[in-house]
Amino acid sequence: MIEKARLLLQKHQRWLPFALGAAGFLLYAYLSWHMSRRLATLILDESMYVYKGYLFAVGKYVPYQDYGPSTNHMPLAFMIPGMVQSWFGPGLATARAFAFFTGLVMLAGLWLAFYRLGGSWWAAGVVWLYVLSPYWQEIFSQGLTQGIVNAFLAWSFVLLIGKERHTWQLILAVILGVLATLTRINIAPVVALMVVYIFWQHGWKKGGWVILTGALVGVGVLALFWPGVLKFISGWLPEGVLSFVEPFRSPWSQQHLPDGFSYFPISGWWGDRTTLQWSAFSAVYETINVNFIPVLAAAGTLLFWPKKEDWPSKYRMRLSVFLSVTWWLMAGMHAWVALSGTSCRFFCMSGYYSFFNILALLLLPAALPYWRKEIPVWRQGLSLGVLFALVTAALHHAGYRPVRVGRRWYHFMDTPIPRFKNGAFIEGETGPLRSVFESKLGLSYDFLVEKIPEYLYWLLPIVLVLVLVPWLHRLLKKPLNLKVSIPWFGFAAFLVLAVTLAPTTVFYKDTPNLVCDTDVVATHEIVGAELSQILPEGSKIYWDVTSNMLLLYLPQVEIFPQQLNTGFNYVRDADPADSDEISRFSYWDDTLDGQWRVEADYMVVSGERLDNWQGLIDAGLLQVVDTTSSYEECRPSGTRVYVLKRSTED
């Protein structure tokens, strides 16, 4: 049967992978469009990029200006979606349609990059990988910078991949990489190492042209935002390195973790699963789970790195070195940023990896066919250990956790059974199942209820990795003529399993997004129209809604722009004397908060924030002027918008 399937594929290999790829592309388009219309606006970043970008595009504010919105990323992160809003009309519909379009551009680039690197079957495979990965569809169906960056990078690799490249192709590849960096600065290491690879593979002459043109494009774009852009760049430079930068350096930064947070000493938190440190571990588990395929690809390539003589060419070896080194560097850098609280409180880590997962995915056609099939015993043990750790982490995020195993085991041990004495059942009397083991085997309650679940928890990953993988390897060795080690087979098997199970709760659970049953674009437009009727022309509003998307429908209002980042740029316990400087650097504090509440004509509050205002409403200091419909029907009470006004003038 296997041989028949192989012959059938060979017979139709000229057209079948292209047909499968085209079908997958159309299906992805359908799923992505459906997702773009149903995703709730839970992630603040989306509305920040879109609305701030719109304000910049229409000239209401200038990026990085004093007392303006916090321009906390590179300029193209805001200007690209903002210009799209200004061209096609402001609103969530435009934002999501653009996300849908960039997702298709990205996938088309990936198909072509994989085709050039591995052929038509690999190209079809990457398309279906995205078809089967609803979490990635969530990421690339929102107005987030991941879509823009990945579109740039995918087509950059289309131009980069190839043993021989024209100078213009390499120049365009790096220019696209520079544009990705001008969107998100975290892509800078990718571009830097791309240039190193070009020097290594294509020589000094082509490398020189690449560096010159890439630098000119980068400097040229940044010059448009000079010198205000130094406010952002200063945060990435050590203090005192460049004196002219220091006046633009903000004394304040976003606060994500409490002062004094540390992972050391471990003994201070290891035994308490409720600590922030354990939340960091959960973020690692989530990252491995939702990025399981790229993580397996990167780890497998490192563990089974081909021998020098096994590479078909120096070009493919050099490309694989570039992809592997860059992915691991980016993975480590983003893990440090997330887990240290520098950029967020841990859970942005999984989303960060979607910026550069393309590097690990490209390792599949670039290096997997040449993975070392036989490795020393010590390396086999290491490989199985790594696979065991990755599978355990993925299962943990999927819900297979010690506390749940323990809870179920406790209920099992507490199952009532008839009591038994002197060889006969005692009628009408029952006792817990554990009593049998306690009385007959002398086992303690602590061992039965507390210790055994700890051992049971490890049973599933042990069976999957250390029992099932070797058994399947032995079972399939003769029929498939396998000539690979057990760890090699294990990594390949879990890659296939991860693709297959991507749409299931094993790899699609507890994502930061919420998919509604109704069209959120339509409900945003309804609520936007309602608010437009409620708020008079020229109204100054205090904005306390967790998404800024509704502001796209309110061109007639004036806002306090520092509020657009909600509490992420709120300076707590600030000296009132610093309030002006805080405002100048696009932060806000208690003093500004109180001042704006007095200056505002209206307070616009979402249902999920209403409790913070209820005391003032009950005291008669504020009154509810009007209430809108819910802008997301999947969370109706939280997304109803309340317009408040002071009951009496101060």
Side-chain angles (χ1 to χ4, degrees), residues 199-220:
F199 273 100
W200 188 20
Q201 173 64 24
H202 299 286
W204 287 91
K205 184 177 180 180
K206 291 182 178 180
W209 279 110
V210 158
I211 247 184
L212 176 63
T213 52
L216 286 174
V217 170
V219 171

Side-chain angles (χ1 to χ4, degrees), residues 331-584:
M333 182 179 76
H334 286 81
W336 177 82
V337 167
L339 299 180
S340 66
T342 304
S343 182
C344 67
R345 184 173 286 194
F346 314 137
F347 286 95
C348 58
M349 183 176 168
S350 60
Y352 280 166
Y353 276 48
S354 59
F355 279 109
F356 55 88
N357 273 337
I358 183 176
L359 299 164
L361 294 179
L362 284 168
L363 280 171
L364 293 173
L368 187 148
Y370 315 104
W371 279 5
R372 194 176 303 188
K373 296 175 176 58
E374 293 294 339
I375 53 178
V377 174
W378 70 267
R379 207 154 149 189
Q380 290 192 36
L382 175 63
S383 302
L384 285 173
V386 170
L387 183 61
F388 180 82
L390 296 177
V391 170
T392 302
L395 288 173
H396 185 281
H397 181 69
Y400 184 73
R401 300 171 186 173
V403 64
R404 296 182 181 178
V405 174
R407 191 183 303 125
R408 290 173 182 173
W409 179 256
Y410 171 81
H411 289 308
F412 174 67
M413 283 284 101
D414 209 41
T415 303
I417 60 172
R419 295 196 63 184
F420 189 80
K421 187 176 183 181
N422 298 327
F425 290 105
I426 303 175
E427 188 175 352
E429 292 190 24
T430 61
L433 177 62
R434 66 174 182 274
S435 62
V436 176
F437 299 97
E438 290 172 335
S439 60
K440 300 299 181 182
L441 301 178
L443 300 176
S444 68
Y445 174 87
D446 179 68
F447 178 80
L448 285 168
V449 178
E450 302 291 340
K451 296 297 181 184
I452 288 182
E454 294 181 9
Y455 304 132
L456 288 175
Y457 170 73
W458 296 104
L459 185 61
L460 179 59
I462 286 172
V463 169
L464 286 175
V465 178
L466 304 181
V467 177
L468 191 59
V469 165
W471 178 76
L472 284 174
H473 179 268
R474 183 176 180 180
L475 182 68
L476 299 174
K477 190 171 185 177
K478 287 185 178 179
L480 297 181
N481 193 26
L482 292 178
K483 296 179 181 179
V484 297
S485 63
I486 291 174
W488 193 106
F489 175 79
F491 269 82
F494 274 98
L495 275 168
V496 173
L497 193 64
V499 174
T500 307
L501 297 180
T504 71
T505 54
V506 177
F507 294 105
Y508 184 50
K509 182 181 176 66
D510 296 336
T511 70
N513 308 293
L514 174 65
V515 183
C516 303
D517 293 328
T518 53
D519 190 332
V520 301
V521 174
T523 50
H524 269 76
E525 291 174 348
I526 290 170
V527 174
E530 292 175 356
L531 281 174
S532 183
Q533 293 297 314
I534 296 169
L535 298 168
E537 183 83 22
S539 298
K540 184 172 287 188
I541 62 171
Y542 182 103
W543 188 251
D544 197 17
V545 181
T546 50
S547 169
N548 298 318
M549 283 296 184
L550 291 174
L551 287 168
L552 291 166
Y553 305 95
L554 305 173
Q556 79 275 20
V557 302
E558 297 293 328
I559 60 169
F560 301 104
Q562 295 87 341
Q563 286 190 310
L564 297 180
N565 283 56
T566 65
F568 286 103
N569 62 332
Y570 196 92
V571 181
R572 291 165 179 80
D573 303 319
D575 186 337
D578 294 329
S579 290
D580 184 69
E581 276 293 281
I582 288 173
S583 177
R584 185 171 78 85

